[in-house]
Amino acid sequence: MNTVMKLANLETKMFFRDRLSVFWTFLFPVVMIWLFGSMFSGDMAGPFTFAEVFIPSWIGVNIVTTSFFTLGTVLAGYRETGVLRRYQSTPLQPWKILAAHTVQGTVIFIISAILLMVFGMVMYDLQAPMYIGSTLLALFISILAFFPFALFVTSLAKNTQSAAAISSLFLNLMLFLSGATFPIEMMPTVLQYVAKVLPLYYVIQLLRGTWNEAPISEFGLEVGILLGIAVVSIVLASRYFRWSDQ
Amino acid sequence: MLGLNPGKQLRELNRLIGVQFQATSIQKKMKVKEALDLFSSFYKGKTQKDQLIDMLGLGEKLNVHFEDLSGGWKQRVTLALATLHKPELLFLDEPSMGLDPHARREMWEMIRTLRGHGSTIVVTTHYMEEAEKLCDRVAMIYSGELKALNTPDALLDDVATHYLAFDSERMSYEYLLTLSDVVRVEKEKGDFKVFSENLQHTAYQIFTYCHDENIELKNFKFERGSLDDLFVQYLEKEKTG
């Protein structure tokens, strides 16, 4: 366990040494909220305020960025440059590496979520989640679904560039089609069906719902689908995990 | 290997071996100090981290990110990571690849020191000079087949790798080929290499000939071929069948 925490701690430190990833993970979502806020915050259709809809959504989006970029793309790079292969020649067990990266990803995600929430509270009078336990559980389930999903998808890439390309594709698809940025109700019917295929859709329903409306027990369908994704992608990610491309 | 089965006891085996891969890196933003700490934590018991920092002169680079190190320093760091736990068996894949001549000599010195500490070291290299200077035993492998295995001295004793070298303006190439012990003659402008089964006798014949014909010889040397020559010789033997 000592090694897991040491590695997680180091990886977190190294994340903060890379200014670009700090910008995309922490500042970009805040800037987006601020931009959308200056456009829409006055005239929201429906019963909820701008912040009540969009802060939980962007917290959901950040699960996607963390899984695909902080975890997936970075590990694809480690595979390409031989970092993982070097580990492989030591007594370090494989699960410890994955555990360390999961811990690191979770820490970075939590920081970004708190940042968004505080920004919402200060700028847009956002209230803390109505069912805080439910929201935390929803976040946990979402991470459980997305981390292994992204690890699996990016492990199909040959190198860092293609891993980053795959990640950008998934991020943009989900960003625009899962209701995180544009209300689903405004989309054509076909796209509404597409949205429901994307896992982020369920994360966002769950986060918005537990934040503003009801405890997690009311969202059986979403929880079920996300747990299903979690099980399938954990199986796939561990079966197809590779140390190197040779 | 070391009494363990690599298929079943890989983890136990990994405690006893060290591997320095060719041209692989560690995390770009990791500091040298952090890498040494991290890899030390993979092994039980105390590692020789501090001794290695002294020996490899890493002290001044401890706070530098791996990506900011030059090629020679990167090799030193990965060598340190491979040897932290005093491995019984150490694999070095092209340890001096891409190093300047000075850094290469320093790398050799470090490898000798590690050997002095009692590790068995397996070095893969394309530089025959490196194998000759560094290794107690040399195996030559070509297209997956073992061609030779012996001490460098014994390999160099192989007859065909010995030759006479000299410079001469007027020496006749054809005459040299008529000499009974001569195996092969290489001529490049005025530089001759005469491969012979009996160097002393051939030398005597050449000197007599030059004395009679009044031909000037310069830089006459008895040369012992290098492992380079031996390698080429094995290849040529292969081609001719």
Side-chain angles (χ1 to χ4, degrees):
Chain A
M1 211 52 208
N2 191 10
T3 309
V4 174
M5 290 326 284
K6 192 167 225 159
L7 188 54
N9 180 22
L10 258 180
E11 289 290 345
T12 312
K13 270 192 199 162
M14 288 190 283
F15 172 87
F16 281 100
R17 284 174 194 161
D18 184 4
R19 295 209 181 86
L20 264 182
S21 54
V22 171
F23 170 79
W24 285 106
T25 313
F26 296 137
L27 291 182
F28 179 70
V30 173
V31 170
M32 289 306 281
I33 287 286
W34 178 70
L35 263 173
F36 276 81
S38 56
M39 288 190 286
F40 301 129
S41 68
D43 44 33
M44 287 294 290
F48 302 111
T49 68
F50 163 78
E52 283 168 349
V53 174
F54 282 102
I55 300 277
S57 306
W58 274 90
I59 289 178
V61 170
N62 263 12
I63 294 181
V64 182
T65 19
T66 317
S67 342
F68 275 94
F69 291 96
T70 312
L71 262 86
T73 307
V74 166
L75 277 168
Y78 286 180
R79 187 173 301 119
E80 188 189 359
T81 55
V83 170
L84 294 184
R85 206 157 158 240
R86 188 176 301 280
Y87 283 151
Q88 206 187 359
S89 72
T90 71
L92 180 67
Q93 295 116 307
W95 70 266
K96 287 189 177 173
I97 302 169
L98 291 179
H101 280 268
T102 307
V103 171
Q104 177 232 21
T106 309
V107 167
I108 285 165
F109 165 71
I110 289 172
I111 297 173
S112 77
I114 291 175
L115 214 62
L116 274 171
M117 191 175 78
V118 170
F119 183 74
M121 287 171 162
V122 172
M123 296 285 291
Y124 305 103
D125 294 323
L126 178 71
Q127 299 299 306
M130 199 177 275
Y131 300 94
I132 183 89
S134 290
T135 306
L136 289 177
L137 190 58
L139 287 174
F140 175 74
I141 294 170
S142 307
I143 287 176
L144 206 61
F146 260 95
F147 279 15
F149 177 65
L151 279 178
F152 166 65
V153 172
T154 50
S155 76
L156 300 175
K158 276 258 178 291
N159 53 41
T160 320
Q161 283 91 333
S162 46
I166 292 175
S167 301
S168 301
L169 178 73
F170 270 85
L171 176 64
N172 284 304
L173 260 178
M174 294 202 235
L175 202 52
F176 293 110
L177 294 182
S178 60
T181 45
F182 297 109
I184 298 251
E185 303 76 51
M186 282 167 59
M187 292 182 191
T189 329
V190 185
L191 286 184
Q192 293 197 13
Y193 283 115
V194 174
K196 289 178 186 169
V197 178
L198 299 171
L200 184 59
Y201 171 81
Y202 301 96
V203 170
I204 286 172
Q205 294 303 312
L206 204 51
L207 288 180
R208 276 185 190 163
T210 57
W211 201 295
N212 302 313
E213 290 174 284
I216 197 162
S217 50
E218 301 290 312
F219 297 94
L221 176 71
E222 285 80 1
V223 170
I225 287 177
L226 288 176
L227 285 178
I229 294 174
V231 170
V232 172
S233 40
I234 286 171
V235 170
L236 287 175
S238 45
R239 176 162 301 173
Y240 290 101
F241 190 81
R242 302 188 319 278
W243 292 109
S244 69
D245 281 319
Q246 279 94 15
Chain B
M1 196 193 277
L2 300 172
L4 295 167
N5 179 343
K8 290 179 188 153
Q9 294 153 300
L10 190 60
R11 245 190 115 211
E12 286 83 353
L13 196 57
N14 278 345
R15 286 187 227 285
L16 300 175
I17 66 168
V19 185
Q20 184 190 32
F21 293 104
Q22 173 190 348
T24 61
S25 82
I26 57 170
Q27 287 89 325
K28 287 188 283 185
K29 300 268 179 200
M30 196 182 267
K31 291 178 184 174
V32 173
K33 184 173 62 182
E34 295 168 339
L36 292 169
D37 262 353
L38 177 68
F39 278 74
S40 291
S41 76
F42 297 163
Y43 302 98
K44 283 181 199 153
K46 200 166 153 37
T47 59
Q48 52 173 349
K49 190 176 77 182
D50 299 331
Q51 292 96 302
L52 280 171
I53 292 173
D54 276 348
M55 192 181 111
L56 300 174
L58 290 173
E60 52 175 307
K61 301 285 183 190
L62 287 179
N63 283 309
V64 179
H65 292 170
F66 189 75
E67 64 177 346
D68 297 331
L69 294 171
S70 70
W73 284 105
K74 281 183 182 164
Q75 290 283 43
R76 284 180 196 218
V77 172
T78 54
L79 182 64
L81 296 182
T83 48
L84 278 169
H85 52 300
K86 298 183 195 164
E88 289 184 29
L89 186 55
L90 176 62
F91 294 92
L92 306 177
D93 191 1
E94 311 247 353
S96 63
M97 181 98 146
L99 297 187
D100 66 55
H102 179 245
R104 176 170 305 154
R105 286 205 165 71
E106 283 189 338
M107 178 60 71
W108 289 349
E109 211 38 63
M110 289 164 214
I111 294 172
R112 285 198 190 97
T113 312
L114 288 170
R115 182 185 65 176
H117 291 177
S119 300
T120 302
I121 305 177
V122 179
V123 181
T124 330
T125 182
H126 277 108
Y127 303 111
M128 294 300 145
E129 189 199 358
E130 184 161 272
E132 192 176 329
K133 291 198 169 157
L134 215 51
C135 299
D136 299 317
R137 293 214 305 160
V138 177
M140 283 195 178
I141 295 173
Y142 181 73
S143 64
E145 267 180 61
L146 185 67
K147 298 289 179 198
L149 172 65
N150 218 323
T151 62
D153 270 343
L155 286 176
L156 289 172
D157 278 340
D158 198 324
V159 180
T161 63
H162 292 195
Y163 58 91
L164 302 167
F166 55 86
D167 303 345
S168 176
E169 298 283 320
R170 292 172 43 227
M171 187 62 176
S172 152
Y173 180 78
E174 288 71 26
Y175 167 73
L176 291 171
L177 284 177
T178 62
L179 298 175
S180 55
D181 298 323
V182 169
V183 182
R184 187 159 58 95
V185 180
E186 285 175 14
K187 182 188 179 200
E188 202 173 315
K189 287 183 188 162
D191 293 344
F192 286 86
K193 280 185 180 177
V194 181
F195 296 80
S196 164
E197 312 236 328
N198 188 339
L199 289 184
Q200 191 169 336
H201 185 63
T202 306
Y204 170 75
Q205 289 175 311
I206 291 173
F207 275 112
T208 318
Y209 176 75
C210 292
H211 181 76
D212 295 344
E213 301 287 322
N214 203 15
I215 295 170
E216 191 188 15
L217 287 179
K218 278 189 252 171
N219 291 328
F220 193 94
K221 275 175 289 196
F222 283 87
E223 285 281 20
R224 193 178 169 185
S226 64
L227 289 180
D228 260 350
D229 298 322
L230 186 65
F231 190 79
V232 173
Q233 185 191 321
Y234 281 124
L235 284 199
E236 280 172 359
K237 210 188 278 174
E238 182 133 312
K239 272 184 209 150
T240 55

